[in-house]
Amino acid sequence: MSYDRAITVFSPDGHLFQVEYAMEAVRRGSTAIGVRGKDCVVLAVERRALAKLQDPRTIRKIVSVDNRSVLAFAGLTADARVLINKTRLEAQSYRLTCEDAPSVEYLARYIARTQQKYTQRGGVRPFGIATLIAGFSDPTTEGEEGKPVLYQTDPAGTHSSWRAQVIGGRNAKSLREFLEKNYEDDMDEDKSVRLAIQSLLEVVDSGAKNMEIMIVKADGKAFMEESAIDAVVKKIEEEAEESKEAKKSSD
Amino acid sequence: MDTVFGVKYDGGVVIAADQGNARSILMYQRNLDKVVPLSSHSAVGVSGPNADLVNFSEYIQKNIALYELSNDGMKLSTHAQANFMRGELAAALRRGPYQVNVLLGGYDESTESSSLYFLDYLASLQKVNYGCQGYASSFCLSIMDRDWKEGLTEDEAVAIVEHCMQELHTRFLIAQPNFIIKVIDKDGVKTSKFGADPADT
């Protein structure tokens, strides 16, 4: 039995090592956090320190895949580019055949399906990225407004919906616990942004220079200005100081 | 037989098309919108069998959208869109041609100028100041030759289009009662006038 037919073969104890190694590649990538609020989705990514001569505008970690859907990834940037291009093409293809925008769930399913394909084919390796896809569901025919959605995919090709999730970075597990502790349902935009930035500050040096925040709402999406991010960071740090002082004085 | 015309003016383009959808002795609809927006600042007036008209214009439209999404929001110039369209027509020509004759008009914010392009089903491409597709050209090109001049305003350009429509109503054998007129300028593509509301299903 020649083992070079497919790069992904089962191990005797049922593991797919290549897929697990791909997940390790994701862990080596920079952190990306998604928080779903009442009427918005916030994506926050860590912007790793760039080389001095590098133009920061050419490093994009939060990208649009369709008019109303955005994607943040963690892992191998080159793999992400390929997957993102495929997804953009699929979104336009959907629009051409169905004369309607694809739902976020459809795009997440497509990305997951593509990632899975590459774990079960000869001569290819899995994509070394996990993605967070954010957007809004369509308003229903009964007149209900669109709801915010956040999906995650991973190198194994699974996709699932989350209220808040973190991918990439060495501390993903502890960050997830932080999110579980501090997440509340139906947060407004300010609270959602605060939670996202607060979580990111656990792994990132303080400062707007080291993070990129995108807020997706029913009527559009926008990057947060550096000054606005700095303001929130300052507030979080002040409140952390205050609670530290309060604790000290109560001891 | 579809009628499409376009007139370029200083700061924009006017594109007009009849709204009939017919085949053989049957009139399918009288409110078809044949001036299809391709991007925020460009639109194409298309003539030909309905299948190719819709298929081709939607295909080009989605490809332009894909380009803008894939290239960080960078807009394709009207010149680039026209050349892309011509390339697709040329590629299909020896396989299964798109039987469409079009007039593509657009406004470029980067150069603050407008342009109009004439493309036909054989993949010709020509930048023009004004143009007609279909039988209309026999009636209207001479009017445009006479009336068009450099530095027109939007109202003057629309007046030329209306002059052409009047000529067709008088002298053209085929009755085309409804026309849709669209204007493309720095504010995008907007419908100036229509004979029958395309939205009415």
Side-chain angles (χ1 to χ4, degrees), chain A residues 162-209:
Chain A
W162 291 75
R163 289 179 290 167
Q165 172 65 303
V166 52
I167 54 174
R170 290 270 160 226
N171 309 332
K173 196 152 171 281
S174 57
L175 272 184
R176 211 166 288 128
E177 283 165 12
F178 181 85
L179 282 173
E180 282 175 17
K181 222 173 89 181
N182 293 295
Y183 183 84
E184 287 164 24
D185 279 320
D186 291 333
M187 286 186 292
D188 64 16
E189 185 182 324
D190 286 331
K191 270 180 125 178
S192 313
V193 169
R194 210 197 117 93
L195 179 59
I197 295 183
Q198 217 176 346
S199 322
L200 202 51
L201 281 172
E202 302 273 315
V203 288
V204 148
D205 289 332
S206 161
K209 279 196 317 305

mmCIF file of all heavy atoms in Angstrom, chain A residues 162-209:
data_model
loop_
_atom_site.group_PDB
_atom_site.id
_atom_site.type_symbol
_atom_site.label_atom_id
_atom_site.label_comp_id
_atom_site.label_asym_id
_atom_site.label_seq_id
_atom_site.Cartn_x
_atom_site.Cartn_y
_atom_site.Cartn_z
ATOM 1 N N TRP A 162 -21.383 31.008 15.706
ATOM 2 C CA TRP A 162 -20.946 31.339 17.061
ATOM 3 C C TRP A 162 -21.498 32.685 17.490
ATOM 4 O O TRP A 162 -21.750 33.550 16.654
ATOM 5 C CB TRP A 162 -19.411 31.405 17.114
ATOM 6 C CG TRP A 162 -18.753 30.080 16.941
ATOM 7 C CD1 TRP A 162 -18.614 29.387 15.787
ATOM 8 C CD2 TRP A 162 -18.149 29.293 17.968
ATOM 9 N NE1 TRP A 162 -17.946 28.206 16.019
ATOM 10 C CE2 TRP A 162 -17.648 28.121 17.341
ATOM 11 C CE3 TRP A 162 -17.965 29.449 19.353
ATOM 12 C CZ2 TRP A 162 -16.999 27.115 18.064
ATOM 13 C CZ3 TRP A 162 -17.305 28.451 20.059
ATOM 14 C CH2 TRP A 162 -16.832 27.295 19.412
ATOM 15 N N ARG A 163 -21.650 32.869 18.808
ATOM 16 C CA ARG A 163 -22.026 34.186 19.305
ATOM 17 C C ARG A 163 -20.769 35.017 19.534
ATOM 18 O O ARG A 163 -20.768 36.242 19.410
ATOM 19 C CB ARG A 163 -22.846 34.052 20.585
ATOM 20 C CG ARG A 163 -24.231 33.490 20.296
ATOM 21 C CD ARG A 163 -25.065 33.327 21.515
ATOM 22 N NE ARG A 163 -24.584 32.253 22.375
ATOM 23 C CZ ARG A 163 -24.995 32.069 23.620
ATOM 24 N NH1 ARG A 163 -25.859 32.884 24.160
ATOM 25 N NH2 ARG A 163 -24.530 31.072 24.338
ATOM 26 N N ALA A 164 -19.679 34.342 19.866
ATOM 27 C CA ALA A 164 -18.375 34.997 19.941
ATOM 28 C C ALA A 164 -17.338 33.910 19.785
ATOM 29 O O ALA A 164 -17.523 32.791 20.272
ATOM 30 C CB ALA A 164 -18.196 35.731 21.274
ATOM 31 N N GLN A 165 -16.263 34.201 19.069
ATOM 32 C CA GLN A 165 -15.266 33.156 18.834
ATOM 33 C C GLN A 165 -13.915 33.799 18.613
ATOM 34 O O GLN A 165 -13.813 34.962 18.207
ATOM 35 C CB GLN A 165 -15.704 32.324 17.614
ATOM 36 C CG GLN A 165 -14.697 31.302 17.092
ATOM 37 C CD GLN A 165 -14.397 30.184 18.080
ATOM 38 O OE1 GLN A 165 -13.979 30.437 19.216
ATOM 39 N NE2 GLN A 165 -14.562 28.954 17.633
ATOM 40 N N VAL A 166 -12.877 33.028 18.890
ATOM 41 C CA VAL A 166 -11.521 33.499 18.639
ATOM 42 C C VAL A 166 -10.773 32.413 17.891
ATOM 43 O O VAL A 166 -10.917 31.224 18.178
ATOM 44 C CB VAL A 166 -10.807 33.868 19.962
ATOM 45 C CG1 VAL A 166 -10.878 32.747 20.970
ATOM 46 C CG2 VAL A 166 -9.368 34.222 19.703
ATOM 47 N N ILE A 167 -9.992 32.811 16.884
ATOM 48 C CA ILE A 167 -9.174 31.863 16.131
ATOM 49 C C ILE A 167 -7.755 32.394 16.073
ATOM 50 O O ILE A 167 -7.515 33.591 16.133
ATOM 51 C CB ILE A 167 -9.692 31.645 14.691
ATOM 52 C CG1 ILE A 167 -9.833 32.985 13.958
ATOM 53 C CG2 ILE A 167 -10.998 30.897 14.694
ATOM 54 C CD1 ILE A 167 -10.198 32.846 12.500
ATOM 55 N N GLY A 168 -6.820 31.459 15.991
ATOM 56 C CA GLY A 168 -5.422 31.866 15.839
ATOM 57 C C GLY A 168 -4.799 32.293 17.147
ATOM 58 O O GLY A 168 -5.477 32.606 18.120
ATOM 59 N N GLY A 169 -3.490 32.334 17.165
ATOM 60 C CA GLY A 169 -2.777 32.772 18.369
ATOM 61 C C GLY A 169 -2.625 31.642 19.361
ATOM 62 O O GLY A 169 -3.428 30.703 19.419
ATOM 63 N N ARG A 170 -1.583 31.763 20.171
ATOM 64 C CA ARG A 170 -1.280 30.680 21.116
ATOM 65 C C ARG A 170 -2.306 30.606 22.239
ATOM 66 O O ARG A 170 -2.475 29.576 22.871
ATOM 67 C CB ARG A 170 0.109 30.921 21.725
ATOM 68 C CG ARG A 170 1.209 30.727 20.730
ATOM 69 C CD ARG A 170 1.692 29.298 20.733
ATOM 70 N NE ARG A 170 2.382 28.987 19.496
ATOM 71 C CZ ARG A 170 2.165 27.871 18.796
ATOM 72 N NH1 ARG A 170 1.301 26.993 19.216
ATOM 73 N NH2 ARG A 170 2.834 27.646 17.690
ATOM 74 N N ASN A 171 -2.986 31.735 22.514
ATOM 75 C CA ASN A 171 -3.861 31.795 23.694
ATOM 76 C C ASN A 171 -5.331 31.653 23.349
ATOM 77 O O ASN A 171 -6.181 32.098 24.107
ATOM 78 C CB ASN A 171 -3.666 33.123 24.427
ATOM 79 C CG ASN A 171 -2.215 33.387 24.694
ATOM 80 O OD1 ASN A 171 -1.433 32.458 24.821
ATOM 81 N ND2 ASN A 171 -1.843 34.645 24.757
ATOM 82 N N ALA A 172 -5.634 31.016 22.220
ATOM 83 C CA ALA A 172 -7.034 30.950 21.791
ATOM 84 C C ALA A 172 -7.917 30.338 22.867
ATOM 85 O O ALA A 172 -9.027 30.806 23.122
ATOM 86 C CB ALA A 172 -7.147 30.173 20.497
ATOM 87 N N LYS A 173 -7.403 29.300 23.524
ATOM 88 C CA LYS A 173 -8.238 28.601 24.518
ATOM 89 C C LYS A 173 -8.594 29.522 25.676
ATOM 90 O O LYS A 173 -9.747 29.645 26.077
ATOM 91 C CB LYS A 173 -7.489 27.365 25.023
ATOM 92 C CG LYS A 173 -8.358 26.379 25.742
ATOM 93 C CD LYS A 173 -7.812 24.953 25.614
ATOM 94 C CE LYS A 173 -8.586 24.015 26.534
ATOM 95 N NZ LYS A 173 -8.167 24.111 27.933
ATOM 96 N N SER A 174 -7.577 30.205 26.226
ATOM 97 C CA SER A 174 -7.868 31.069 27.380
ATOM 98 C C SER A 174 -8.716 32.263 26.964
ATOM 99 O O SER A 174 -9.561 32.739 27.723
ATOM 100 C CB SER A 174 -6.574 31.534 28.047
ATOM 101 O OG SER A 174 -5.758 32.205 27.112
ATOM 102 N N LEU A 175 -8.517 32.735 25.704
ATOM 103 C CA LEU A 175 -9.348 33.839 25.217
ATOM 104 C C LEU A 175 -10.803 33.420 25.095
ATOM 105 O O LEU A 175 -11.717 34.188 25.393
ATOM 106 C CB LEU A 175 -8.848 34.319 23.856
ATOM 107 C CG LEU A 175 -7.770 35.401 23.880
ATOM 108 C CD1 LEU A 175 -7.442 35.839 22.482
ATOM 109 C CD2 LEU A 175 -8.228 36.582 24.691
ATOM 110 N N ARG A 176 -10.990 32.170 24.656
ATOM 111 C CA ARG A 176 -12.364 31.676 24.521
ATOM 112 C C ARG A 176 -13.026 31.649 25.889
ATOM 113 O O ARG A 176 -14.191 31.991 26.048
ATOM 114 C CB ARG A 176 -12.368 30.296 23.884
ATOM 115 C CG ARG A 176 -13.609 30.019 23.057
ATOM 116 C CD ARG A 176 -13.456 28.806 22.179
ATOM 117 N NE ARG A 176 -12.558 29.066 21.061
ATOM 118 C CZ ARG A 176 -11.517 28.313 20.739
ATOM 119 N NH1 ARG A 176 -11.243 27.223 21.425
ATOM 120 N NH2 ARG A 176 -10.760 28.632 19.718
ATOM 121 N N GLU A 177 -12.255 31.229 26.906
ATOM 122 C CA GLU A 177 -12.819 31.214 28.249
ATOM 123 C C GLU A 177 -13.158 32.620 28.701
ATOM 124 O O GLU A 177 -14.186 32.856 29.336
ATOM 125 C CB GLU A 177 -11.814 30.585 29.235
ATOM 126 C CG GLU A 177 -11.786 29.073 29.120
ATOM 127 C CD GLU A 177 -10.571 28.469 29.800
ATOM 128 O OE1 GLU A 177 -9.870 29.173 30.550
ATOM 129 O OE2 GLU A 177 -10.325 27.271 29.565
ATOM 130 N N PHE A 178 -12.277 33.578 28.353
ATOM 131 C CA PHE A 178 -12.533 34.981 28.693
ATOM 132 C C PHE A 178 -13.839 35.448 28.046
ATOM 133 O O PHE A 178 -14.670 36.102 28.678
ATOM 134 C CB PHE A 178 -11.365 35.845 28.201
ATOM 135 C CG PHE A 178 -11.507 37.299 28.518
ATOM 136 C CD1 PHE A 178 -11.100 37.800 29.745
ATOM 137 C CD2 PHE A 178 -12.058 38.174 27.587
ATOM 138 C CE1 PHE A 178 -11.237 39.149 30.036
ATOM 139 C CE2 PHE A 178 -12.190 39.522 27.865
ATOM 140 C CZ PHE A 178 -11.783 40.008 29.093
ATOM 141 N N LEU A 179 -14.014 35.094 26.776
ATOM 142 C CA LEU A 179 -15.240 35.484 26.075
ATOM 143 C C LEU A 179 -16.455 34.839 26.730
ATOM 144 O O LEU A 179 -17.483 35.495 26.924
ATOM 145 C CB LEU A 179 -15.172 35.064 24.600
ATOM 146 C CG LEU A 179 -14.340 35.946 23.675
ATOM 147 C CD1 LEU A 179 -14.234 35.310 22.296
ATOM 148 C CD2 LEU A 179 -14.940 37.326 23.550
ATOM 149 N N GLU A 180 -16.333 33.547 27.086
ATOM 150 C CA GLU A 180 -17.476 32.862 27.693
ATOM 151 C C GLU A 180 -17.880 33.540 28.988
ATOM 152 O O GLU A 180 -19.054 33.673 29.304
ATOM 153 C CB GLU A 180 -17.123 31.392 27.961
ATOM 154 C CG GLU A 180 -17.188 30.532 26.710
ATOM 155 C CD GLU A 180 -16.727 29.105 26.955
ATOM 156 O OE1 GLU A 180 -16.662 28.698 28.132
ATOM 157 O OE2 GLU A 180 -16.433 28.419 25.969
ATOM 158 N N LYS A 181 -16.837 33.989 29.714
ATOM 159 C CA LYS A 181 -17.136 34.620 31.008
ATOM 160 C C LYS A 181 -17.827 35.966 30.827
ATOM 161 O O LYS A 181 -18.733 36.319 31.571
ATOM 162 C CB LYS A 181 -15.810 34.827 31.765
ATOM 163 C CG LYS A 181 -15.906 34.483 33.239
ATOM 164 C CD LYS A 181 -14.568 34.527 33.921
ATOM 165 C CE LYS A 181 -14.303 35.936 34.432
ATOM 166 N NZ LYS A 181 -13.003 36.055 35.097
ATOM 167 N N ASN A 182 -17.377 36.733 29.837
ATOM 168 C CA ASN A 182 -17.824 38.119 29.733
ATOM 169 C C ASN A 182 -18.887 38.369 28.686
ATOM 170 O O ASN A 182 -19.380 39.476 28.554
ATOM 171 C CB ASN A 182 -16.622 39.024 29.441
ATOM 172 C CG ASN A 182 -15.670 39.068 30.608
ATOM 173 O OD1 ASN A 182 -16.010 39.555 31.666
ATOM 174 N ND2 ASN A 182 -14.490 38.514 30.414
ATOM 175 N N TYR A 183 -19.253 37.352 27.900
ATOM 176 C CA TYR A 183 -20.232 37.592 26.834
ATOM 177 C C TYR A 183 -21.632 37.713 27.416
ATOM 178 O O TYR A 183 -22.019 36.966 28.312
ATOM 179 C CB TYR A 183 -20.194 36.453 25.815
ATOM 180 C CG TYR A 183 -21.128 36.671 24.659
ATOM 181 C CD1 TYR A 183 -20.742 37.438 23.562
ATOM 182 C CD2 TYR A 183 -22.417 36.142 24.661
ATOM 183 C CE1 TYR A 183 -21.601 37.640 22.495
ATOM 184 C CE2 TYR A 183 -23.273 36.346 23.609
ATOM 185 C CZ TYR A 183 -22.869 37.096 22.520
ATOM 186 O OH TYR A 183 -23.726 37.308 21.470
ATOM 187 N N GLU A 184 -22.375 38.677 26.886
ATOM 188 C CA GLU A 184 -23.793 38.781 27.238
ATOM 189 C C GLU A 184 -24.588 38.770 25.942
ATOM 190 O O GLU A 184 -24.128 39.281 24.927
ATOM 191 C CB GLU A 184 -24.074 40.116 27.941
ATOM 192 C CG GLU A 184 -23.553 40.201 29.342
ATOM 193 C CD GLU A 184 -23.522 41.656 29.818
ATOM 194 O OE1 GLU A 184 -24.284 42.484 29.271
ATOM 195 O OE2 GLU A 184 -22.716 41.935 30.710
ATOM 196 N N ASP A 185 -25.820 38.228 25.989
ATOM 197 C CA ASP A 185 -26.662 38.262 24.798
ATOM 198 C C ASP A 185 -27.126 39.681 24.535
ATOM 199 O O ASP A 185 -27.250 40.489 25.454
ATOM 200 C CB ASP A 185 -27.888 37.363 25.003
ATOM 201 C CG ASP A 185 -27.552 35.917 24.753
ATOM 202 O OD1 ASP A 185 -26.795 35.646 23.797
ATOM 203 O OD2 ASP A 185 -28.036 35.058 25.509
ATOM 204 N N ASP A 186 -27.428 39.969 23.269
ATOM 205 C CA ASP A 186 -28.041 41.257 22.901
ATOM 206 C C ASP A 186 -27.260 42.470 23.346
ATOM 207 O O ASP A 186 -27.826 43.449 23.829
ATOM 208 C CB ASP A 186 -29.468 41.365 23.487
ATOM 209 C CG ASP A 186 -30.404 40.397 22.792
ATOM 210 O OD1 ASP A 186 -30.140 40.069 21.612
ATOM 211 O OD2 ASP A 186 -31.370 39.968 23.425
ATOM 212 N N MET A 187 -25.944 42.451 23.198
ATOM 213 C CA MET A 187 -25.143 43.633 23.539
ATOM 214 C C MET A 187 -25.302 44.677 22.447
ATOM 215 O O MET A 187 -25.417 44.333 21.266
ATOM 216 C CB MET A 187 -23.665 43.253 23.639
ATOM 217 C CG MET A 187 -23.301 42.478 24.872
ATOM 218 S SD MET A 187 -21.530 42.242 24.979
ATOM 219 C CE MET A 187 -21.234 41.141 23.633
ATOM 220 N N ASP A 188 -25.274 45.943 22.852
ATOM 221 C CA ASP A 188 -25.330 46.981 21.815
ATOM 222 C C ASP A 188 -23.930 47.135 21.209
ATOM 223 O O ASP A 188 -22.985 46.465 21.619
ATOM 224 C CB ASP A 188 -25.839 48.306 22.373
ATOM 225 C CG ASP A 188 -24.912 48.901 23.427
ATOM 226 O OD1 ASP A 188 -23.735 48.462 23.518
ATOM 227 O OD2 ASP A 188 -25.352 49.796 24.154
ATOM 228 N N GLU A 189 -23.823 48.050 20.223
ATOM 229 C CA GLU A 189 -22.574 48.145 19.467
ATOM 230 C C GLU A 189 -21.397 48.472 20.377
ATOM 231 O O GLU A 189 -20.338 47.832 20.296
ATOM 232 C CB GLU A 189 -22.714 49.212 18.384
ATOM 233 C CG GLU A 189 -21.507 49.300 17.472
ATOM 234 C CD GLU A 189 -21.660 50.407 16.453
ATOM 235 O OE1 GLU A 189 -22.793 50.623 15.990
ATOM 236 O OE2 GLU A 189 -20.646 51.047 16.141
ATOM 237 N N ASP A 190 -21.579 49.445 21.280
ATOM 238 C CA ASP A 190 -20.460 49.864 22.116
ATOM 239 C C ASP A 190 -19.968 48.724 22.992
ATOM 240 O O ASP A 190 -18.761 48.510 23.142
ATOM 241 C CB ASP A 190 -20.890 51.035 23.018
ATOM 242 C CG ASP A 190 -21.019 52.317 22.215
ATOM 243 O OD1 ASP A 190 -20.298 52.439 21.198
ATOM 244 O OD2 ASP A 190 -21.832 53.180 22.578
ATOM 245 N N LYS A 191 -20.920 47.971 23.553
ATOM 246 C CA LYS A 191 -20.519 46.876 24.446
ATOM 247 C C LYS A 191 -19.811 45.769 23.666
ATOM 248 O O LYS A 191 -18.851 45.176 24.157
ATOM 249 C CB LYS A 191 -21.751 46.296 25.147
ATOM 250 C CG LYS A 191 -22.076 46.970 26.468
ATOM 251 C CD LYS A 191 -23.286 46.353 27.117
ATOM 252 C CE LYS A 191 -22.938 45.891 28.529
ATOM 253 N NZ LYS A 191 -24.084 45.320 29.216
ATOM 254 N N SER A 192 -20.335 45.499 22.443
ATOM 255 C CA SER A 192 -19.716 44.445 21.631
ATOM 256 C C SER A 192 -18.292 44.838 21.267
ATOM 257 O O SER A 192 -17.368 44.024 21.362
ATOM 258 C CB SER A 192 -20.509 44.213 20.352
ATOM 259 O OG SER A 192 -21.875 44.122 20.613
ATOM 260 N N VAL A 193 -18.115 46.105 20.875
ATOM 261 C CA VAL A 193 -16.782 46.580 20.504
ATOM 262 C C VAL A 193 -15.857 46.488 21.706
ATOM 263 O O VAL A 193 -14.715 46.042 21.618
ATOM 264 C CB VAL A 193 -16.854 48.038 19.997
ATOM 265 C CG1 VAL A 193 -15.474 48.631 19.875
ATOM 266 C CG2 VAL A 193 -17.564 48.093 18.666
ATOM 267 N N ARG A 194 -16.390 46.873 22.858
ATOM 268 C CA ARG A 194 -15.586 46.859 24.078
ATOM 269 C C ARG A 194 -15.123 45.451 24.401
ATOM 270 O O ARG A 194 -13.957 45.244 24.718
ATOM 271 C CB ARG A 194 -16.457 47.394 25.219
ATOM 272 C CG ARG A 194 -15.719 48.104 26.304
ATOM 273 C CD ARG A 194 -16.615 48.194 27.540
ATOM 274 N NE ARG A 194 -16.034 47.461 28.637
ATOM 275 C CZ ARG A 194 -15.251 48.012 29.553
ATOM 276 N NH1 ARG A 194 -14.971 49.300 29.483
ATOM 277 N NH2 ARG A 194 -14.755 47.282 30.526
ATOM 278 N N LEU A 195 -16.043 44.492 24.297
ATOM 279 C CA LEU A 195 -15.672 43.111 24.613
ATOM 280 C C LEU A 195 -14.603 42.612 23.653
ATOM 281 O O LEU A 195 -13.627 41.963 24.057
ATOM 282 C CB LEU A 195 -16.905 42.201 24.543
ATOM 283 C CG LEU A 195 -16.637 40.720 24.822
ATOM 284 C CD1 LEU A 195 -16.051 40.542 26.203
ATOM 285 C CD2 LEU A 195 -17.907 39.900 24.672
ATOM 286 N N ALA A 196 -14.777 42.946 22.355
ATOM 287 C CA ALA A 196 -13.807 42.485 21.359
ATOM 288 C C ALA A 196 -12.431 43.069 21.646
ATOM 289 O O ALA A 196 -11.417 42.352 21.647
ATOM 290 C CB ALA A 196 -14.275 42.876 19.952
ATOM 291 N N ILE A 197 -12.394 44.366 21.920
ATOM 292 C CA ILE A 197 -11.097 45.017 22.158
ATOM 293 C C ILE A 197 -10.495 44.515 23.464
ATOM 294 O O ILE A 197 -9.286 44.249 23.557
ATOM 295 C CB ILE A 197 -11.253 46.550 22.176
ATOM 296 C CG1 ILE A 197 -11.675 47.035 20.790
ATOM 297 C CG2 ILE A 197 -9.967 47.228 22.613
ATOM 298 C CD1 ILE A 197 -11.798 48.530 20.658
ATOM 299 N N GLN A 198 -11.348 44.353 24.471
ATOM 300 C CA GLN A 198 -10.856 43.872 25.761
ATOM 301 C C GLN A 198 -10.191 42.503 25.610
ATOM 302 O O GLN A 198 -9.126 42.246 26.164
ATOM 303 C CB GLN A 198 -12.034 43.742 26.723
ATOM 304 C CG GLN A 198 -11.723 44.126 28.129
ATOM 305 C CD GLN A 198 -12.965 44.065 28.993
ATOM 306 O OE1 GLN A 198 -14.090 43.979 28.500
ATOM 307 N NE2 GLN A 198 -12.771 44.082 30.280
ATOM 308 N N SER A 199 -10.837 41.633 24.839
ATOM 309 C CA SER A 199 -10.277 40.291 24.632
ATOM 310 C C SER A 199 -8.964 40.385 23.887
ATOM 311 O O SER A 199 -7.995 39.708 24.225
ATOM 312 C CB SER A 199 -11.246 39.418 23.836
ATOM 313 O OG SER A 199 -12.560 39.672 24.214
ATOM 314 N N LEU A 200 -8.939 41.240 22.867
ATOM 315 C CA LEU A 200 -7.730 41.348 22.056
ATOM 316 C C LEU A 200 -6.575 41.890 22.891
ATOM 317 O O LEU A 200 -5.417 41.508 22.706
ATOM 318 C CB LEU A 200 -7.991 42.249 20.857
ATOM 319 C CG LEU A 200 -7.067 42.087 19.654
ATOM 320 C CD1 LEU A 200 -6.976 40.645 19.233
ATOM 321 C CD2 LEU A 200 -7.544 42.938 18.497
ATOM 322 N N LEU A 201 -6.897 42.773 23.847
ATOM 323 C CA LEU A 201 -5.846 43.365 24.672
ATOM 324 C C LEU A 201 -5.155 42.322 25.535
ATOM 325 O O LEU A 201 -4.042 42.536 26.005
ATOM 326 C CB LEU A 201 -6.425 44.472 25.565
ATOM 327 C CG LEU A 201 -6.668 45.797 24.860
ATOM 328 C CD1 LEU A 201 -7.409 46.755 25.771
ATOM 329 C CD2 LEU A 201 -5.355 46.413 24.419
ATOM 330 N N GLU A 202 -5.808 41.177 25.740
ATOM 331 C CA GLU A 202 -5.182 40.117 26.528
ATOM 332 C C GLU A 202 -3.962 39.558 25.815
ATOM 333 O O GLU A 202 -3.053 39.024 26.437
ATOM 334 C CB GLU A 202 -6.188 38.981 26.784
ATOM 335 C CG GLU A 202 -7.450 39.397 27.506
ATOM 336 C CD GLU A 202 -7.289 39.368 29.017
ATOM 337 O OE1 GLU A 202 -6.734 38.386 29.520
ATOM 338 O OE2 GLU A 202 -7.699 40.333 29.667
ATOM 339 N N VAL A 203 -3.969 39.642 24.487
ATOM 340 C CA VAL A 203 -2.829 39.065 23.760
ATOM 341 C C VAL A 203 -1.994 40.104 23.033
ATOM 342 O O VAL A 203 -0.885 39.813 22.607
ATOM 343 C CB VAL A 203 -3.286 38.022 22.709
ATOM 344 C CG1 VAL A 203 -3.759 36.781 23.397
ATOM 345 C CG2 VAL A 203 -4.350 38.586 21.813
ATOM 346 N N VAL A 204 -2.529 41.307 22.910
ATOM 347 C CA VAL A 204 -1.848 42.299 22.082
ATOM 348 C C VAL A 204 -1.348 43.439 22.953
ATOM 349 O O VAL A 204 -1.969 43.782 23.951
ATOM 350 C CB VAL A 204 -2.867 42.808 21.023
ATOM 351 C CG1 VAL A 204 -2.628 44.236 20.647
ATOM 352 C CG2 VAL A 204 -2.843 41.913 19.833
ATOM 353 N N ASP A 205 -0.203 44.006 22.575
ATOM 354 C CA ASP A 205 0.255 45.190 23.304
ATOM 355 C C ASP A 205 -0.753 46.303 23.121
ATOM 356 O O ASP A 205 -1.322 46.473 22.056
ATOM 357 C CB ASP A 205 1.615 45.662 22.766
ATOM 358 C CG ASP A 205 2.712 44.701 23.160
ATOM 359 O OD1 ASP A 205 2.554 44.045 24.208
ATOM 360 O OD2 ASP A 205 3.686 44.591 22.405
ATOM 361 N N SER A 206 -0.923 47.082 24.180
ATOM 362 C CA SER A 206 -1.929 48.148 24.126
ATOM 363 C C SER A 206 -1.675 49.097 22.962
ATOM 364 O O SER A 206 -0.547 49.395 22.632
ATOM 365 C CB SER A 206 -1.884 48.908 25.445
ATOM 366 O OG SER A 206 -2.494 50.153 25.279
ATOM 367 N N GLY A 207 -2.717 49.566 22.371
ATOM 368 C CA GLY A 207 -2.549 50.562 21.309
ATOM 369 C C GLY A 207 -3.312 50.198 20.057
ATOM 370 O O GLY A 207 -3.387 49.037 19.672
ATOM 371 N N ALA A 208 -3.891 51.213 19.424
ATOM 372 C CA ALA A 208 -4.692 50.973 18.222
ATOM 373 C C ALA A 208 -3.820 50.522 17.071
ATOM 374 O O ALA A 208 -4.297 49.904 16.121
ATOM 375 C CB ALA A 208 -5.433 52.248 17.850
ATOM 376 N N LYS A 209 -2.511 50.792 17.163
ATOM 377 C CA LYS A 209 -1.628 50.441 16.049
ATOM 378 C C LYS A 209 -1.596 48.928 15.875
ATOM 379 O O LYS A 209 -1.313 48.431 14.792
ATOM 380 C CB LYS A 209 -0.206 50.921 16.347
ATOM 381 C CG LYS A 209 -0.002 52.380 16.045
ATOM 382 C CD LYS A 209 1.459 52.785 15.969
ATOM 383 C CE LYS A 209 2.377 52.240 17.025
ATOM 384 N NZ LYS A 209 2.038 52.453 18.409
#
